Amino acid sequence: VRESPFADTSSVLDMMKNAGPWFFAIMGVLYLGSLVGAFFMFQLRKTGFHIYTTAQLIMLIIPSLMIEGYILPFANLLLTGSFVLAYGINRRIMH
């Protein structure tokens, strides 16, 4: 019997229901901060790098604190780390 790729959907939905509205409010603010930071970096402002990096790191930590049973996906860590590293390397051209 072939398993559906969506077999765990109900358990993910249950985890998200348990997160509560504060989780989504906090994550919304962090996503907005990340977007503002990216906009500032686009304007070559170092402040944007710090805002973006802080928001991204907190976004990695918050689900572990607020959702019971949450395990940080390695892909999220790798993607966030690679963007922060790439922006950090190019930070010297920002003012």
Side-chain angles (χ1 to χ4, degrees):
V1 174
R2 188 171 167 180
E3 248 185 72
S4 167
F6 303 107
D8 270 353
T9 304
S10 64
S11 64
V12 171
L13 289 175
D14 287 340
M15 269 199 300
M16 297 310 275
K17 284 180 194 174
N18 292 333
W22 280 108
F23 170 75
F24 295 104
I26 291 168
M27 291 300 283
V29 169
L30 291 170
Y31 277 113
L32 180 62
S34 182
L35 183 63
V36 168
F39 179 73
F40 284 170
M41 284 191 294
F42 185 71
Q43 295 179 333
L44 298 178
R45 294 169 59 187
K46 279 187 183 179
T47 305
F49 173 75
H50 298 293
I51 294 170
Y52 175 84
T53 301
T54 302
Q56 289 295 315
L57 293 176
I58 294 172
M59 284 174 17
L60 286 175
I61 296 168
I62 289 294
S64 298
L65 298 176
M66 296 186 78
I67 301 174
E68 188 177 327
Y70 179 82
I71 299 171
L72 177 67
F74 182 71
N76 288 4
L77 183 62
L78 186 64
L79 188 63
T80 298
S82 61
F83 271 96
V84 168
L85 180 65
Y87 290 136
I89 289 170
N90 292 303
R91 193 178 64 192
R92 61 184 160 78
I93 65 170
M94 296 179 199
H95 47 271

